[in-house]
mmCIF file of all heavy atoms in Angstrom:
data_model
loop_
_atom_site.group_PDB
_atom_site.id
_atom_site.type_symbol
_atom_site.label_atom_id
_atom_site.label_comp_id
_atom_site.label_asym_id
_atom_site.label_seq_id
_atom_site.Cartn_x
_atom_site.Cartn_y
_atom_site.Cartn_z
ATOM 1 N N THR B 268 -57.341 68.055 20.407
ATOM 2 C CA THR B 268 -58.679 67.502 20.137
ATOM 3 C C THR B 268 -58.969 67.418 18.651
ATOM 4 O O THR B 268 -59.992 66.869 18.242
ATOM 5 C CB THR B 268 -59.758 68.392 20.773
ATOM 6 O OG1 THR B 268 -59.717 69.681 20.131
ATOM 7 C CG2 THR B 268 -59.541 68.547 22.270
ATOM 8 N N GLY B 269 -58.107 68.024 17.866
ATOM 9 C CA GLY B 269 -58.365 68.139 16.438
ATOM 10 C C GLY B 269 -58.850 69.537 16.072
ATOM 11 O O GLY B 269 -58.944 69.880 14.901
ATOM 12 N N THR B 270 -59.126 70.319 17.096
ATOM 13 C CA THR B 270 -59.534 71.718 16.879
ATOM 14 C C THR B 270 -58.481 72.605 17.542
ATOM 15 O O THR B 270 -58.294 72.550 18.769
ATOM 16 C CB THR B 270 -60.915 71.990 17.495
ATOM 17 O OG1 THR B 270 -61.859 71.111 16.892
ATOM 18 C CG2 THR B 270 -61.331 73.434 17.288
ATOM 19 N N ALA B 271 -57.834 73.396 16.756
ATOM 20 C CA ALA B 271 -56.682 74.143 17.257
ATOM 21 C C ALA B 271 -57.036 75.048 18.427
ATOM 22 O O ALA B 271 -56.274 75.203 19.388
ATOM 23 C CB ALA B 271 -56.060 74.962 16.119
ATOM 24 N N THR B 272 -58.228 75.616 18.376
ATOM 25 C CA THR B 272 -58.587 76.575 19.422
ATOM 26 C C THR B 272 -58.844 75.916 20.777
ATOM 27 O O THR B 272 -58.933 76.604 21.795
ATOM 28 C CB THR B 272 -59.846 77.356 18.999
ATOM 29 O OG1 THR B 272 -60.872 76.419 18.662
ATOM 30 C CG2 THR B 272 -59.535 78.237 17.800
ATOM 31 N N ASP B 273 -58.962 74.606 20.782
ATOM 32 C CA ASP B 273 -59.155 73.908 22.065
ATOM 33 C C ASP B 273 -57.878 73.860 22.893
ATOM 34 O O ASP B 273 -57.901 73.562 24.091
ATOM 35 C CB ASP B 273 -59.642 72.476 21.834
ATOM 36 C CG ASP B 273 -61.093 72.432 21.388
ATOM 37 O OD1 ASP B 273 -61.810 73.435 21.619
ATOM 38 O OD2 ASP B 273 -61.522 71.410 20.825
ATOM 39 N N GLY B 274 -56.755 74.092 22.227
ATOM 40 C CA GLY B 274 -55.492 73.984 22.950
ATOM 41 C C GLY B 274 -54.989 72.551 23.011
ATOM 42 O O GLY B 274 -55.516 71.653 22.349
ATOM 43 N N ARG B 275 -53.978 72.369 23.835
ATOM 44 C CA ARG B 275 -53.309 71.065 23.915
ATOM 45 C C ARG B 275 -53.086 70.664 25.375
ATOM 46 O O ARG B 275 -53.053 71.512 26.260
ATOM 47 C CB ARG B 275 -51.950 71.141 23.223
ATOM 48 C CG ARG B 275 -52.005 71.535 21.735
ATOM 49 C CD ARG B 275 -52.038 70.318 20.857
ATOM 50 N NE ARG B 275 -52.091 70.660 19.435
ATOM 51 C CZ ARG B 275 -51.910 69.776 18.470
ATOM 52 N NH1 ARG B 275 -51.640 68.511 18.761
ATOM 53 N NH2 ARG B 275 -52.006 70.142 17.206
ATOM 54 N N ILE B 276 -52.931 69.372 25.558
ATOM 55 C CA ILE B 276 -52.469 68.855 26.853
ATOM 56 C C ILE B 276 -51.031 68.387 26.655
ATOM 57 O O ILE B 276 -50.756 67.564 25.785
ATOM 58 C CB ILE B 276 -53.352 67.688 27.343
ATOM 59 C CG1 ILE B 276 -54.781 68.179 27.625
ATOM 60 C CG2 ILE B 276 -52.743 67.044 28.593
ATOM 61 C CD1 ILE B 276 -55.737 67.073 28.027
ATOM 62 N N ASN B 277 -50.152 68.941 27.432
ATOM 63 C CA ASN B 277 -48.745 68.552 27.292
ATOM 64 C C ASN B 277 -48.517 67.111 27.763
ATOM 65 O O ASN B 277 -49.175 66.617 28.692
ATOM 66 C CB ASN B 277 -47.856 69.497 28.112
ATOM 67 C CG ASN B 277 -47.803 70.884 27.508
ATOM 68 O OD1 ASN B 277 -47.929 71.052 26.293
ATOM 69 N ND2 ASN B 277 -47.651 71.899 28.365
ATOM 70 N N TYR B 278 -47.524 66.520 27.114
ATOM 71 C CA TYR B 278 -47.201 65.131 27.486
ATOM 72 C C TYR B 278 -46.636 65.010 28.898
ATOM 73 O O TYR B 278 -46.609 63.926 29.458
ATOM 74 C CB TYR B 278 -46.229 64.530 26.458
ATOM 75 C CG TYR B 278 -46.946 63.758 25.360
ATOM 76 C CD1 TYR B 278 -47.218 64.341 24.140
ATOM 77 C CD2 TYR B 278 -47.356 62.450 25.584
ATOM 78 C CE1 TYR B 278 -47.875 63.633 23.141
ATOM 79 C CE2 TYR B 278 -48.015 61.739 24.599
ATOM 80 C CZ TYR B 278 -48.271 62.319 23.378
ATOM 81 O OH TYR B 278 -48.934 61.621 22.416
ATOM 82 N N ASP B 279 -46.196 66.106 29.472
ATOM 83 C CA ASP B 279 -45.712 65.981 30.847
ATOM 84 C C ASP B 279 -46.861 65.737 31.823
ATOM 85 O O ASP B 279 -46.629 65.534 33.022
ATOM 86 C CB ASP B 279 -44.874 67.200 31.249
ATOM 87 C CG ASP B 279 -45.691 68.483 31.280
ATOM 88 O OD1 ASP B 279 -46.934 68.432 31.104
ATOM 89 O OD2 ASP B 279 -45.076 69.560 31.468
ATOM 90 N N GLN B 280 -48.085 65.733 31.305
ATOM 91 C CA GLN B 280 -49.238 65.377 32.143
ATOM 92 C C GLN B 280 -49.537 63.870 32.093
ATOM 93 O O GLN B 280 -50.501 63.398 32.698
ATOM 94 C CB GLN B 280 -50.479 66.157 31.703
ATOM 95 C CG GLN B 280 -50.382 67.644 32.015
ATOM 96 C CD GLN B 280 -50.209 67.885 33.517
ATOM 97 O OE1 GLN B 280 -51.072 67.543 34.317
ATOM 98 N NE2 GLN B 280 -49.072 68.473 33.897
ATOM 99 N N ILE B 281 -48.741 63.136 31.318
ATOM 100 C CA ILE B 281 -48.892 61.674 31.279
ATOM 101 C C ILE B 281 -47.750 61.067 32.087
ATOM 102 O O ILE B 281 -46.578 61.170 31.709
ATOM 103 C CB ILE B 281 -48.856 61.136 29.828
ATOM 104 C CG1 ILE B 281 -49.908 61.839 28.967
ATOM 105 C CG2 ILE B 281 -49.053 59.618 29.819
ATOM 106 C CD1 ILE B 281 -51.343 61.595 29.407
ATOM 107 N N GLY B 282 -48.078 60.483 33.180
ATOM 108 C CA GLY B 282 -47.071 59.837 34.023
ATOM 109 C C GLY B 282 -46.930 58.366 33.678
ATOM 110 O O GLY B 282 -47.906 57.713 33.306
ATOM 111 N N THR B 283 -45.720 57.852 33.794
ATOM 112 C CA THR B 283 -45.472 56.435 33.517
ATOM 113 C C THR B 283 -44.588 55.874 34.617
ATOM 114 O O THR B 283 -43.528 56.446 34.922
ATOM 115 C CB THR B 283 -44.759 56.238 32.169
ATOM 116 O OG1 THR B 283 -45.345 57.079 31.185
ATOM 117 C CG2 THR B 283 -44.873 54.787 31.708
ATOM 118 N N LEU B 284 -45.010 54.749 35.177
ATOM 119 C CA LEU B 284 -44.205 54.056 36.185
ATOM 120 C C LEU B 284 -43.939 52.637 35.715
ATOM 121 O O LEU B 284 -44.827 51.968 35.179
ATOM 122 C CB LEU B 284 -44.929 54.014 37.537
ATOM 123 C CG LEU B 284 -45.095 55.355 38.271
ATOM 124 C CD1 LEU B 284 -45.941 55.146 39.537
ATOM 125 C CD2 LEU B 284 -43.723 55.920 38.642
ATOM 126 N N SER B 285 -42.722 52.196 35.944
ATOM 127 C CA SER B 285 -42.379 50.817 35.593
ATOM 128 C C SER B 285 -42.380 49.948 36.839
ATOM 129 O O SER B 285 -41.984 50.370 37.920
ATOM 130 C CB SER B 285 -40.996 50.755 34.936
ATOM 131 O OG SER B 285 -40.648 49.406 34.686
ATOM 132 N N SER B 286 -42.799 48.705 36.660
ATOM 133 C CA SER B 286 -42.797 47.756 37.779
ATOM 134 C C SER B 286 -41.414 47.175 38.024
ATOM 135 O O SER B 286 -41.190 46.521 39.054
ATOM 136 C CB SER B 286 -43.782 46.615 37.500
ATOM 137 O OG SER B 286 -43.371 45.870 36.357
ATOM 138 N N VAL B 287 -40.513 47.394 37.109
ATOM 139 C CA VAL B 287 -39.170 46.787 37.210
ATOM 140 C C VAL B 287 -38.129 47.870 36.935
ATOM 141 O O VAL B 287 -38.118 48.462 35.856
ATOM 142 C CB VAL B 287 -39.016 45.623 36.197
ATOM 143 C CG1 VAL B 287 -37.594 45.079 36.203
ATOM 144 C CG2 VAL B 287 -40.012 44.506 36.515
ATOM 145 N N ALA B 288 -37.264 48.081 37.901
ATOM 146 C CA ALA B 288 -36.273 49.145 37.754
ATOM 147 C C ALA B 288 -35.332 48.893 36.581
ATOM 148 O O ALA B 288 -34.831 49.852 35.969
ATOM 149 C CB ALA B 288 -35.466 49.275 39.047
#
Side-chain angles (χ1 to χ4, degrees):
Chain B
T268 64
T270 301
T272 54
D273 287 340
R275 301 266 180 169
I276 295 176
N277 290 331
Y278 266 98
D279 65 6
Q280 291 300 298
I281 305 297
T283 317
L284 291 175
S285 176
S286 63
V287 175

